[in-house]
Amino acid sequence: MNARESTELLVPIEGESGIVNARSLARNIARELGFGMVDQSRIATAVSELTRNIVRYASGGRGEVVIREVAGPADQPGVEIVVSDEGPGIADIEFAMREGVSSSTGLGMGLPGTRRLMDEMKIESGAGRGTVITIRKWRRQSGK
Amino acid sequence: MARVPIIRIGDMLIASVQEDINDREATDLQDELFQLLERTGAMGVILDVSLLQLIDSFLGRMLREVALGARLLGAQTVVVGIQPAVAVTLVELGLELTGVRTALNSDKGLRLLRQLMARTRTGNWSWNERSRKH
Ligand SMILES: Nc1ncnc2c1ncn2[C@@H]1O[C@H](COP(=O)(O)OP(=O)(O)OP(=O)(O)O)[C@@H](O)[C@H]1O
Ligand SMILES: [Mg+2]
């Protein structure tokens, strides 16, 4: 069981092209892991939202994405994606997670929307500390 | 220049959004559509998104802005071909595309657009729109 090769991929983000790049790689890995069309779309969209936040808010629009295969609580296959940057950070995480909260011209849908699309989401950040957001999705067993 | 060609047929503009459109190209497409609407006086727009495997908050907002902006320029817009997986994701993301007319495929989209354009011409449209707001 543990002999199965596990996937891990690092995608640097630098400007807008990074968004397209990261989300299509995330979709490919999700497909390889056996996620269905809707989950592939959820995962790619979540990555699109989080990487756009990097391009928009982090210094120089720079950051990175790590996509890896992980086992879920019931040992089901899953994907974990860590999106990080060394930008200004988010001072009030709870506030930023609220629907409609945006410091730019956005709709403020990115973070709360991502939470709904994924099974787990953790934000580590603070003013001046950069931002690390970890999201996870588990494959449903029955669907195969 | 733009990666999305916009075709004009009669008083309609038709744009097929390609698979991996980035933010800049989406904004370019929007600008170009508005310019063409102004220049040609076209009264209808079909935005074919059937190749799109992903509509995130940025693209969703763009679709809404095209539809609402075109209306201010006197044109109706129909977005056609949203993939089922994309539709589910849009709803969960919280983007309902309020005010955007959609159709399953381009045949149905064209039919709907013709109806909307006919209504605009005869003036019944405004009655219809107002009554929906309440
Ligand atoms: N990586 C980040 N670094 C710094 N601030 C961030 C980061 N990500 C999000 N934020 C802050 O959190 C707010 C909410 O983010 P969210 O993605 O929910 O909305 P938005 O980006 O403003 O709009 P939308 O995503 O709908 O276009 C942002 O406006 C921004 O102030
Ligand atoms: Mg955002």
Side-chain angles (χ1 to χ4, degrees), chain A residues 23-48 79 81 117-118 137 140, chain B residues 53-54 83 85-86 89:
Chain A
R23 71 193 184 196
S24 59
L25 288 167
R27 177 190 294 274
N28 288 348
I29 290 182
R31 188 189 303 123
E32 276 165 28
L33 294 177
F35 282 97
M37 286 297 288
V38 179
D39 276 344
Q40 289 174 34
S41 172
R42 289 181 175 117
I43 291 163
T45 304
V47 170
S48 192
V79 66
I81 300 164
L117 293 172
M118 302 300 289
K137 188 100 190 154
R140 265 166 300 169
Chain B
Q53 290 198 317
L54 180 148
Q83 293 182 14
V86 172
T89 305

Side-chain angles (χ1 to χ4, degrees), chain A residues 16 20 23, chain B residues 1-6 15-29 32 51-52:
Chain A
E16 240 180 50
V20 176
R23 71 193 184 196
Chain B
M1 59 178 192
R3 277 178 68 210
V4 183
I6 302 173
S16 300
V17 184
Q18 84 281 356
E19 198 176 331
D20 56 349
I21 188 168
N22 66 31
D23 294 3
R24 171 104 38 87
E25 290 160 346
T27 311
D28 284 351
L29 170 61
E32 220 173 304
L51 290 180
L52 282 185

Side-chain angles (χ1 to χ4, degrees), chain A residues 49-50 52-53 56-57 106 108-111, chain B residues 57:
Chain A
E49 295 298 335
L50 298 183
R52 179 169 295 102
N53 282 352
R56 217 182 264 163
Y57 307 115
M109 302 298 305
L111 293 179
Chain B
S57 64

